[in-house]
Amino acid sequence: MQASCPSGAILPRLPRHFLTGTELSGAQLDALLNRALEMKAQPRASRPLEGRSVALLFEKPSTRTRLSYEIGISELGGYPVLLRPDEMQLSRGESVRDTALVLSRHVDAIGVRTGPDALLAELAAEGSIPVFNMLTALHHPSQALADLLTLREAFPDRPLAELKLAYVGDGNNVARSLCLLGGIAGLDVAVASPPGYALEPEAGGARTTDPFEAVAGAHAVYADVWVSMGDEATADARRAALAPYRIDDALLDGAAPGAIALHCLPAHPGEEITAEVLYGSRQRIWDQAENRRHAQKALLEFLLAG
Ligand code: CP
Ligand code: NVA
């Protein structure tokens, strides 16, 4: 693809990436969420990825992300190519650079779930096609898109800038992406974590160690696992430190009237959330899981056909 600059010279058009989510402006994020709502209402109304292929590289397990991207790409008319690291020459020492160069000759975009954010950055720098984040150790922006979409649906009469979300638990990739993308949307985000597990202030939003302080006035209360993928070695210490940060009915009662419970899943009922909340009348968690597909379809259209 090419574009002309003011001097008239032809310049290569840079691919759009979605590495942390902060690539989006407020207006782009707003338009993307609106488009996701349209796509949810009519999931097969358009096929902007007709004839296009998207590689999905999973270096970590996944249920929702794999399903929602693979089926979402198919609904958009595209062809998803699932890649496992142990089946690729990457596992035998082929460089990320060469992998990016070859993928750029065969597919139209690359989604990656891995630990190091640097792998995504290198694929984006060395390839010539969009790269999008399907979860890294530091970020989960695909999840945050679905979370914002679920808030839009749950509170249709109020803009995101008039809502507050309280995240209760480990200051991890999900918490960071909620703060970063929530900040772009104007959402008020408060994060309650125990000492030693706090999210850095630079991600935006407020910090406290008190879950009840965080949920005061909140329209949504959000949980994630206490032991993220890659944190298994410190599981016992995490469970001990995070035990007071469980989302239960009493904590939800401390939020704004009509507040909803959210969880990116997978859940561990009895740990970060009670079964009563997970399957109860105040959760929007299963809508949230479905919304992964609709939000990501809008993202793919933006990255590939926007
Ligand atoms: N929430 C989420 O990313 O789920 P998976 O790990 O199952 O993809
Ligand atoms: N924080 C969790 C999210 C899982 C979807 C993890 O990284 O494992």
Side-chain angles (χ1 to χ4, degrees):
M1 281 187 285
Q2 294 181 324
S4 57
C5 73
S7 69
I10 300 296
L11 298 172
R13 197 158 105 196
L14 293 174
R16 284 176 166 166
H17 300 297
F18 187 68
L19 306 182
T20 65
T22 58
E23 297 86 358
L24 295 177
S25 68
Q28 286 171 331
L29 178 56
D30 188 55
L32 196 152
L33 295 175
N34 286 336
R35 183 69 178 125
L37 287 171
E38 283 176 13
M39 287 179 155
K40 183 169 184 176
Q42 291 191 295
R44 291 175 184 78
S46 65
R47 294 169 65 86
L49 266 58
E50 190 74 58
R52 319 284 281 278
S53 301
V54 180
L56 302 174
L57 172 58
F58 282 96
E59 294 193 334
K60 289 183 171 186
S62 168
T63 297
R64 280 143 290 273
T65 305
R66 176 181 170 178
L67 280 168
S68 53
Y69 268 114
E70 192 168 344
I71 295 167
I73 290 163
S74 165
E75 284 182 357
L76 292 171
Y79 179 68
V81 185
L82 194 75
L83 302 174
R84 294 280 181 194
D86 59 328
E87 296 167 355
M88 296 181 67
Q89 297 288 6
L90 259 179
S91 68
R92 297 183 59 252
E94 185 167 23
S95 69
V96 175
R97 179 182 188 177
D98 291 2
T99 303
L101 291 172
V102 172
L103 282 169
S104 297
R105 298 295 181 106
H106 286 289
V107 299
D108 296 282
I110 312 170
V112 186
R113 169 168 285 204
T114 186
D117 286 73
L119 172 61
L120 266 78
E122 192 175 350
L123 281 169
E126 300 293 354
S128 54
I129 55 178
V131 174
F132 56 93
N133 188 331
M134 303 197 297
L135 182 145
T136 54
L138 296 181
H139 297 278
H140 199 1
S142 294
Q143 178 68 53
L145 289 181
D147 302 340
L148 296 176
L149 182 62
T150 308
L151 281 176
R152 272 267 179 99
E153 269 185 338
F155 301 98
D157 301 328
R158 300 184 71 159
L160 293 176
E162 289 181 13
L163 297 176
K164 176 181 176 182
L165 179 144
Y167 174 97
V168 177
D170 183 26
N172 61 15
N173 47 4
V174 168
R176 184 173 291 105
S177 289
L178 277 169
C179 285
L180 291 172
L181 277 87
I184 295 170
L187 180 70
D188 181 9
V189 182
V191 180
S193 309
Y197 296 90
L199 187 64
E200 72 280 359
E202 292 76 14
R207 303 287 177 274
T208 176
T209 55
D210 181 354
F212 281 91
E213 183 185 328
V215 304
H219 303 89
V221 180
Y222 196 116
D224 184 17
V225 297
W226 289 345
V227 184
S228 285
M229 293 179 278
D231 289 337
E232 290 80 6
T234 55
D236 289 347
R238 290 172 168 278
R239 289 196 179 98
L242 286 152
Y245 292 79
R246 174 176 302 116
I247 294 186
D248 57 15
D249 280 311
L251 188 61
L252 266 181
D253 289 344
I260 60 170
L262 297 175
H263 192 313
C264 58
L265 302 175
H268 301 79
E271 284 196 15
E272 75 279 355
I273 190 166
T274 61
E276 288 74 19
V277 173
L278 179 62
Y279 305 110
S281 60
R282 294 195 276 184
Q283 59 75 27
R284 290 294 188 114
I285 293 166
W286 309 102
D287 288 343
Q288 184 186 3
E290 178 189 329
N291 282 341
R292 293 291 305 275
R293 187 169 85 257
H294 309 300
Q296 291 160 188
K297 284 173 68 178
L299 173 70
L300 288 165
E301 182 183 67
F302 172 77
L303 294 177
L304 282 162

Tab-separated table of all heavy atoms in Angstrom, residues 62-65 113 140 143 264-265 292, ligand 1:
chain	number	residue	atom	x	y	z
A	62	SER	N	-5.329	-20.556	25.769
A	62	SER	CA	-6.438	-19.605	25.600
A	62	SER	C	-7.719	-20.365	25.279
A	62	SER	O	-7.693	-21.337	24.527
A	62	SER	CB	-6.143	-18.634	24.462
A	62	SER	OG	-7.317	-17.914	24.139
A	63	THR	N	-8.809	-19.912	25.820
A	63	THR	CA	-10.137	-20.399	25.407
A	63	THR	C	-10.865	-19.284	24.654
A	63	THR	O	-11.165	-19.385	23.465
A	63	THR	CB	-10.961	-20.852	26.625
A	63	THR	OG1	-10.282	-21.953	27.238
A	63	THR	CG2	-12.366	-21.279	26.218
A	64	ARG	N	-11.152	-18.170	25.369
A	64	ARG	CA	-11.931	-17.077	24.803
A	64	ARG	C	-11.236	-16.379	23.643
A	64	ARG	O	-11.857	-16.086	22.615
A	64	ARG	CB	-12.244	-16.009	25.870
A	64	ARG	CG	-13.380	-16.360	26.776
A	64	ARG	CD	-13.085	-15.880	28.160
A	64	ARG	NE	-12.019	-16.677	28.725
A	64	ARG	CZ	-12.237	-17.826	29.380
A	64	ARG	NH1	-13.437	-18.234	29.594
A	64	ARG	NH2	-11.212	-18.555	29.819
A	65	THR	N	-9.953	-16.083	23.801
A	65	THR	CA	-9.261	-15.282	22.795
A	65	THR	C	-9.167	-16.056	21.485
A	65	THR	O	-9.401	-15.515	20.403
A	65	THR	CB	-7.876	-14.881	23.319
A	65	THR	OG1	-8.060	-14.224	24.575
A	65	THR	CG2	-7.172	-13.957	22.354
A	113	ARG	N	-0.234	-14.018	21.206
A	113	ARG	CA	-0.339	-14.187	22.663
A	113	ARG	C	0.992	-14.771	23.130
A	113	ARG	O	1.371	-15.877	22.728
A	113	ARG	CB	-1.492	-15.110	23.041
A	113	ARG	CG	-1.433	-15.511	24.515
A	113	ARG	CD	-2.683	-16.186	25.012
A	113	ARG	NE	-3.757	-15.235	25.195
A	113	ARG	CZ	-4.797	-15.397	26.024
A	113	ARG	NH1	-4.880	-16.487	26.772
A	113	ARG	NH2	-5.737	-14.488	26.128
A	140	HIS	N	-3.291	-6.539	27.993
A	140	HIS	CA	-4.362	-7.358	27.394
A	140	HIS	C	-5.403	-6.401	26.784
A	140	HIS	O	-6.569	-6.378	27.200
A	140	HIS	CB	-4.991	-8.268	28.437
A	140	HIS	CG	-5.743	-9.437	27.862
A	140	HIS	ND1	-5.835	-9.683	26.500
A	140	HIS	CD2	-6.438	-10.451	28.462
A	140	HIS	CE1	-6.549	-10.766	26.300
A	140	HIS	NE2	-6.933	-11.254	27.458
A	143	GLN	N	-8.885	-7.629	25.531
A	143	GLN	CA	-9.861	-7.810	26.608
A	143	GLN	C	-10.495	-6.481	26.988
A	143	GLN	O	-11.718	-6.374	27.171
A	143	GLN	CB	-9.154	-8.426	27.830
A	143	GLN	CG	-10.048	-8.615	29.027
A	143	GLN	CD	-11.100	-9.677	28.799
A	143	GLN	OE1	-10.791	-10.801	28.424
A	143	GLN	NE2	-12.351	-9.342	29.031
A	264	CYS	N	-12.652	-11.064	33.476
A	264	CYS	CA	-12.194	-11.402	32.123
A	264	CYS	C	-12.236	-12.903	31.868
A	264	CYS	O	-12.245	-13.330	30.723
A	264	CYS	CB	-10.796	-10.860	31.888
A	264	CYS	SG	-9.579	-11.469	33.064
A	265	LEU	N	-12.219	-13.711	32.954
A	265	LEU	CA	-12.201	-15.180	32.881
A	265	LEU	C	-10.847	-15.668	32.344
A	265	LEU	O	-10.219	-14.927	31.587
A	265	LEU	CB	-13.350	-15.716	32.014
A	265	LEU	CG	-14.755	-15.304	32.474
A	265	LEU	CD1	-15.801	-15.798	31.450
A	265	LEU	CD2	-15.083	-15.888	33.845
A	292	ARG	N	-16.013	-10.247	23.464
A	292	ARG	CA	-14.673	-10.337	22.880
A	292	ARG	C	-14.772	-10.406	21.352
A	292	ARG	O	-14.040	-9.721	20.631
A	292	ARG	CB	-13.955	-11.593	23.421
A	292	ARG	CG	-13.625	-11.564	24.912
A	292	ARG	CD	-12.546	-10.543	25.217
A	292	ARG	NE	-11.359	-10.751	24.443
A	292	ARG	CZ	-10.379	-11.588	24.768
A	292	ARG	NH1	-10.437	-12.277	25.886
A	292	ARG	NH2	-9.311	-11.720	23.985
B	1	CP	N1	-9.938	-13.547	28.980
B	1	CP	C1	-9.143	-14.272	28.188
B	1	CP	O1	-8.251	-13.751	27.526
B	1	CP	O2	-9.420	-15.591	28.170
B	1	CP	P1	-8.536	-16.732	27.497
B	1	CP	O3	-7.241	-16.810	28.277
B	1	CP	O4	-9.342	-17.987	27.602
B	1	CP	O5	-8.259	-16.377	26.073
